[in-house]
Amino acid sequence: MAQLIIEGQELINDFSKIKQLISNFGIHLSNWPISKSAEAQQLLSKPNLDNTEKERLLTLHEHYFEKLKSKQGYQSRDITVLHPEVPDLDTLLAKFDRCHTHDDDEVRYVIDGSGFFGFVKTGGQQAMMKVEAGEYICVPAHTEHWFELGPSRRIKTIRYFTRTDGWAATYTDTQNKLCNQAFT
Ligand SMILES: [Fe+2]
């Protein structure tokens, strides 16, 4: 389950409280159950997935995409798989572990593993939230944030997009004040 640290405060474990507090940073958090099918569980247990396996996992969770398409105009989805054997994993992660914004919402559904999002509120206060399998997060466009993998260095996420013309980060000068080690 999600965990939250707001700068200068104690770790929070209560999901309802986290959902409410993180909304003050503009972030939407939901609990989306993962498919309990044997096929999904077998695929999720693998560190890496080929394209056919990725497509199966997307299909097994397609009802969430259908809802986002019809209600919010989302157009596409894909799946990202990170694990310790991914070539140049640290180089890849270094793109996201500095404060940045996007012109589009960053929408992620974690289906395996976990990760840590940092957020910067207008006025400068920072928070870091651990997101785990079964959790959906929407970071609205122009919200200052960063992302770190935790010690397991393993996560699978379904990404949802409202546009299909690319995904870019605009870096800001803000220094991260929190890191995932605060959670251990
Ligand atoms: Fe981002």
Side-chain angles (χ1 to χ4, degrees):
M1 289 290 278
Q3 295 183 310
L4 176 70
I5 291 179
I6 295 175
E7 190 182 344
Q9 300 179 22
E10 296 292 316
L11 177 73
I12 299 162
N13 289 296
D14 182 87
F15 188 85
S16 302
K17 199 169 177 186
I18 291 171
K19 191 176 163 76
Q20 179 207 330
L21 288 170
I22 207 64
S23 72
N24 296 330
F25 285 76
I27 310 304
H28 179 80
L29 172 72
S30 287
N31 190 353
W32 282 9
I34 293 167
S35 169
K36 290 188 169 60
S37 73
E39 182 185 14
Q41 294 302 313
Q42 189 265 334
L43 291 171
L44 290 169
S45 71
K46 299 179 67 168
N48 202 6
L49 300 171
D50 64 26
N51 286 339
T52 304
E53 291 168 330
K54 286 180 180 176
E55 201 51 49
R56 279 303 300 153
L57 271 176
L58 287 168
T59 301
L60 288 163
H61 297 90
E62 200 73 333
H63 54 293
Y64 293 125
F65 179 47
E66 293 298 333
K67 201 188 294 181
L68 288 174
K69 262 204 299 197
S70 65
K71 292 196 172 170
Q72 295 177 55
Y74 278 76
Q75 294 187 35
S76 65
R77 83 285 185 265
D78 67 9
I79 185 165
T80 59
V81 178
L82 298 179
H83 58 87
E85 306 307 317
V86 169
D88 296 323
L89 179 61
D90 287 323
T91 307
L92 191 65
L93 292 172
K95 291 181 184 173
F96 305 112
D97 68 4
R98 290 187 282 144
C99 284
H100 63 273
T101 62
H102 304 283
D103 289 337
D104 299 314
D105 297 350
E106 182 167 329
V107 182
R108 302 286 183 266
Y109 173 32
V110 183
I111 55 173
D112 178 55
S114 59
F116 295 81
F117 279 91
F119 306 106
V120 185
K121 203 167 149 174
T122 307
Q125 188 182 40
Q126 298 191 9
M128 180 167 263
M129 183 166 70
K130 181 181 186 182
V131 286
E132 293 197 296
E135 291 169 344
Y136 162 92
I137 181 173
C138 175
V139 183
H142 311 298
T143 303
E144 210 176 349
H145 67 282
W146 73 94
F147 177 79
E148 300 174 12
L149 269 188
S152 71
R153 294 165 68 81
R154 173 169 165 152
I155 193 168
K156 294 184 184 70
T157 57
I158 299 178
R159 312 189 297 175
Y160 301 100
F161 301 99
T162 53
R163 303 188 332 200
T164 54
D165 56 351
W167 180 254
T170 303
Y171 295 101
T172 64
D173 293 330
T174 307
Q175 294 298 309
N176 309 357
K177 294 183 192 168
L178 297 165
C179 75
N180 70 73
Q181 288 167 352
F183 288 77
T184 56

